Amino acid sequence: MKRFKTTKGMIGIVLLSLIALIAIFGPMVIPPDAATAMDMRARRAPPSLTHLFGTDQLGRDLLFRVILGTRTSLEIAVSAVLMSVVLGLPLGLISGYFGRWIDNVLMRFVDTLLAFPALLLALTISAVLGPNIQNTIIAIGVAFTPYLARIIRGEALRVAQMPYVEAARSSGTTDAMIMWRHVLPNILPAVIVQATISLAFAILAEAGLSFLGLGTQPPAASWGLMIQASRDQLDIAPWTAVVPGLAVALTVLGLNMFGDVLRDILDPRSK
Amino acid sequence: MTYVLNRLLSVILTLFMITLVTFAVTNILPGDVAMMIMGTQSNPEALAGLRQSLGLNDPILVQYARWVGGLVSGDWGNSLIFKKPILELLSQKIVASAVLVVMSMCIALALAIPLGVWAAVHRDKWQDTVSSSSALLGVSLPDFFWGIVMILVFARWLGWFPSSGFVEPSVDFWGTLQHAFLPALALGLGLMAHLTRMTRSTMTGILSQEFIRVARAKGLTERTVIWRYALANAIGPVITIAGLQIGYLFGSIIVMESLFGYTGMGWLTYQALLNRDLPLIQDTVFVIAAVVMLTNLAVDLLYVVIDPRIRLG
């Protein structure tokens, strides 16, 4: 735990805890209609005491909207990454553990998926399924799966050659049991590190999808949507872009810093 | 010879699998394709007509075979929104994207290599902190955010570059470069971060090696040691990582080209997705995946050329 006490680790943890608190409790604290309430007299109002972060083109309070957006973005990113772990774990584990032709076939498939840029795959899936929050999760989750599978496979391959696995095998333990009891616990640190880093990418992907109109749909609040809306009013109301942009940046920054420190702790080989 | 032949076979197999995945993603997902294109409110006769003309009434395998057969024979079908042969559209747009991709890669490398070397040379000092912090900031903001900032600062306020559009290189090459610069810069900044880190860690490893100490002991200037000795050895891994980023770049151009109205492959893909132009979606998705795969292959081969220590088995 000592290693968390680096500046980077501390900043990462503080940022992430803050963002998590905002995502969980924020929507309960703000007035229920605050984020959608339009104040037509205060359209594009600059930051002030009544509207701390200013308002958007419809006079909606940006502080409240960015808080709601935190929940949306985190919900989507966490669900999508969980989905890619659930899909990628068996794929990578089986491939790395059994090796030989199973590995060849599965990794050939994964490599094919890797030729598709993650954002392209996510955009296509979302467009075909029809854009909404649930399909955005599916789109990003599927698009990230091959990356998770690749890394898990590499780890499983390494662990499968360890003497303790060989010992378990020679004492007649079944393959399923070995994977569950010996391989899985030993690849878990790498999976956690990769999942943390993937979360940062998922936040960016969600913002990108929503920015292009193929992710979260209005009137729901999402950081990508807010940046999209700010495009045409940038010179008169720059805060409409800065507020959601900063929200994305701080979240991704926190995740990256935390992920870096986590990697140093959980994965000694990376040193 | 066997190596080249094996590699070639593997490329053909992967291309075939790319067609399978592309077709699966665009077809097997639930929902009626004709309905998806025309919307739920369209009249049944028009829907039936569209189904007929797209061949959607045929068994799925027949549809797949027809599509792949068309790809091989050069009949790539027509775009529903542009009412033009897709092959013609693609061959126009791919030039624009090639300019953008090459330019952003050059910008990223031109920023990342000096920054990474600087950080490695002054390891754990303030220079290292500045370098890694700016790299971290680069990855933490979405690249379209940089794009918006660029438009505001360099196009609206300073008026140095056009804020949107594209000019054919055959018409005005200088104009092409001007239009590509801002989106390329925004893409390059996003790309730079990863490459800076890679350069730093590779250089750090090399600078602690024996031959560097020998070079210094020989009395070579620090500049020669760093740029001629160390960097020459670090460039291989950096190029490899840069090559792997091509996939990421081809995802990002969809957002960036749409933002800048830069009419390349990314813009075309976005138009196809937005308008549910199924034939165009299939072909653009296939082409992008194929280009990414072939670029990765090219980087592999380039690596062999750059680093003579690697021998093909």
Side-chain angles (χ1 to χ4, degrees):
Chain A
M1 279 300 109
K2 217 162 119 195
R3 295 271 278 288
F4 267 117
K5 286 187 183 145
T6 54
T7 338
K8 201 173 172 187
M10 283 319 281
I11 298 176
I13 288 177
V14 169
L15 270 178
L16 282 192
S17 330
L18 213 69
I19 290 157
L21 285 177
I22 292 174
I24 297 166
F25 298 109
M28 301 176 196
V29 177
I30 61 174
D33 68 329
T36 43
M38 301 179 200
D39 183 354
M40 282 303 176
R41 279 162 307 166
R43 286 162 59 189
R44 301 193 186 95
S48 66
L49 278 180
T50 34
H51 299 289
L52 275 183
F53 288 177
T55 63
D56 67 3
Q57 71 283 2
L58 296 171
R60 295 176 296 193
D61 189 281
L62 281 179
L63 172 62
F64 294 155
R65 284 188 71 72
V66 95
I67 287 174
L68 282 185
T70 311
R71 155 111 25 129
T72 317
S73 295
L74 254 57
E75 228 169 52
I76 292 176
V78 170
S79 316
V81 169
L82 273 181
M83 184 174 161
S84 61
V85 170
V86 167
L87 291 175
L89 196 60
L91 214 60
L93 197 55
I94 289 171
S95 197
Y97 179 78
F98 289 107
R100 297 164 187 275
W101 68 270
I102 299 181
D103 185 36
N104 265 330
V105 172
L106 288 181
M107 281 306 120
R108 175 67 70 170
F109 174 62
V110 166
D111 282 346
T112 310
L113 286 178
L114 283 174
F116 294 83
L119 193 61
L120 173 69
L121 204 53
L123 282 167
T124 310
I125 294 171
S126 185
V128 171
L129 289 179
N132 58 41
I133 288 185
Q134 184 201 327
N135 290 342
T136 306
I137 293 171
I138 295 175
I140 297 175
V142 171
F144 280 18
T145 300
Y147 297 88
L148 259 303
R150 256 272 169 229
I151 288 187
I152 293 167
R153 179 245 178 204
E155 284 296 305
L157 195 67
R158 183 180 62 84
V159 174
Q161 283 156 357
M162 291 286 170
Y164 55 80
V165 171
E166 212 168 301
R169 206 177 281 142
S170 57
S171 69
T173 318
T174 59
D175 286 326
M177 201 57 172
I178 295 175
M179 278 196 270
W180 178 250
R181 291 286 292 274
H182 300 291
V183 183
L184 190 60
N186 284 298
I187 64 172
L188 219 50
V191 177
I192 294 171
V193 170
Q194 190 54 34
T196 314
I197 294 165
S198 301
L199 266 180
F201 283 108
I203 297 271
L204 290 173
E206 190 277 330
L209 254 67
S210 302
F211 180 75
L212 289 178
L214 289 169
T216 313
Q217 296 296 309
S222 141
W223 296 336
L225 274 176
M226 291 168 77
I227 297 177
Q228 159 70 30
S230 76
R231 260 175 76 182
D232 305 322
Q233 53 197 24
L234 217 54
D235 12 14
I236 45 171
W239 57 88
T240 54
V242 172
V243 169
L246 219 54
V248 176
L250 289 177
T251 311
V252 175
L253 204 63
L255 284 166
N256 278 331
M257 288 174 137
F258 184 68
D260 276 359
V261 178
L262 209 58
R263 189 199 332 246
D264 289 348
I265 294 168
L266 293 178
D267 191 1
R269 283 172 307 129
S270 73
K271 269 271 128 181
Chain B
M1 200 55 213
T2 13
Y3 175 79
V4 177
L5 212 64
N6 274 338
R7 213 55 213 250
L8 207 65
L9 270 177
S10 150
V11 166
I12 293 170
L13 184 63
T14 313
L15 278 176
F16 167 70
M17 293 200 42
I18 287 175
T19 62
L20 271 180
V21 172
T22 307
F23 192 79
V25 168
T26 45
N27 280 269
I28 295 174
L29 292 168
D32 177 9
V33 176
M35 193 93 87
M36 176 184 109
I37 295 167
M38 300 188 79
T40 43
Q41 309 298 322
S42 49
N43 77 59
E45 276 168 36
L47 275 178
L50 184 68
R51 273 197 204 103
Q52 188 67 43
S53 69
L54 287 178
L56 294 177
N57 295 326
D58 297 333
I60 198 87
L61 272 178
V62 174
Q63 291 185 41
Y64 172 70
R66 188 168 44 224
W67 178 57
V68 172
L71 287 181
V72 174
S73 68
D75 174 18
W76 288 38
N78 288 306
S79 155
L80 301 176
I81 42 166
F82 294 101
K83 315 260 188 269
K84 267 190 188 169
I86 292 174
L87 204 54
E88 189 186 308
L89 277 169
L90 286 175
S91 52
Q92 278 169 11
K93 306 302 178 202
I94 209 156
V95 179
S97 291
V99 173
L100 186 57
V101 166
V102 171
M103 205 165 172
S104 50
M105 194 50 96
C106 290
I107 291 175
L109 286 173
L111 292 171
I113 291 179
L115 208 56
V117 170
W118 193 53
V121 171
H122 303 279
R123 200 175 155 207
D124 295 330
K125 303 219 178 70
W126 65 267
Q127 291 95 331
D128 192 9
T129 314
V130 169
S131 163
S132 58
S133 309
S134 55
L136 208 53
L137 193 70
V139 274
S140 296
L141 271 160
D143 35 24
F144 57 85
F145 185 85
W146 287 122
I148 291 179
V149 173
M150 306 268 160
I151 291 180
L152 189 67
V153 176
F154 293 111
R156 296 256 181 91
W157 290 349
L158 297 173
W160 290 354
F161 295 94
S163 66
S164 77
F166 173 68
V167 182
E168 287 290 332
S170 54
V171 179
D172 172 14
F173 188 66
W174 183 239
T176 309
L177 294 184
Q178 279 183 320
H179 279 89
F181 185 73
L182 287 187
L185 188 58
L187 286 170
L189 283 178
L191 209 60
M192 178 196 96
H194 202 58
L195 294 177
T196 306
R197 290 176 137 193
M198 191 62 201
T199 311
R200 181 193 174 274
S201 67
T202 315
M203 278 294 282
T204 312
I206 287 169
L207 282 173
S208 64
Q209 280 181 24
E210 203 73 358
F211 76 96
I212 294 293
R213 197 154 16 127
V214 172
R216 280 187 180 135
K218 276 202 309 192
L220 294 176
T221 59
E222 195 60 17
R223 182 192 290 188
T224 315
V225 172
I226 289 163
W227 296 100
R228 296 247 340 139
Y229 279 59
L231 188 61
N233 283 282
I235 206 82
V238 173
I239 296 282
T240 307
I241 294 292
L244 290 176
Q245 299 292 310
I246 290 284
Y248 164 80
L249 205 49
F250 268 92
S252 304
I253 60 169
I254 302 174
V255 187
M256 206 57 75
E257 289 185 2
S258 308
L259 174 62
F260 281 88
Y262 185 91
T263 51
M265 282 290 292
W267 175 86
L268 189 68
T269 310
Y270 181 53
Q271 295 305 318
L273 288 170
L274 212 55
N275 295 292
R276 315 254 162 128
D277 186 343
L278 189 72
L280 190 57
I281 295 178
Q282 279 177 347
D283 290 354
T284 48
V285 170
F286 166 73
V287 167
I288 290 179
V291 167
V292 170
M293 191 268 289
L294 292 174
T295 320
N296 286 340
L297 176 73
V299 170
D300 266 8
L301 297 179
L302 186 70
Y303 196 67
V304 179
V305 178
I306 292 180
D307 197 333
R309 281 171 302 189
I310 297 182
R311 286 279 165 266
L312 300 176

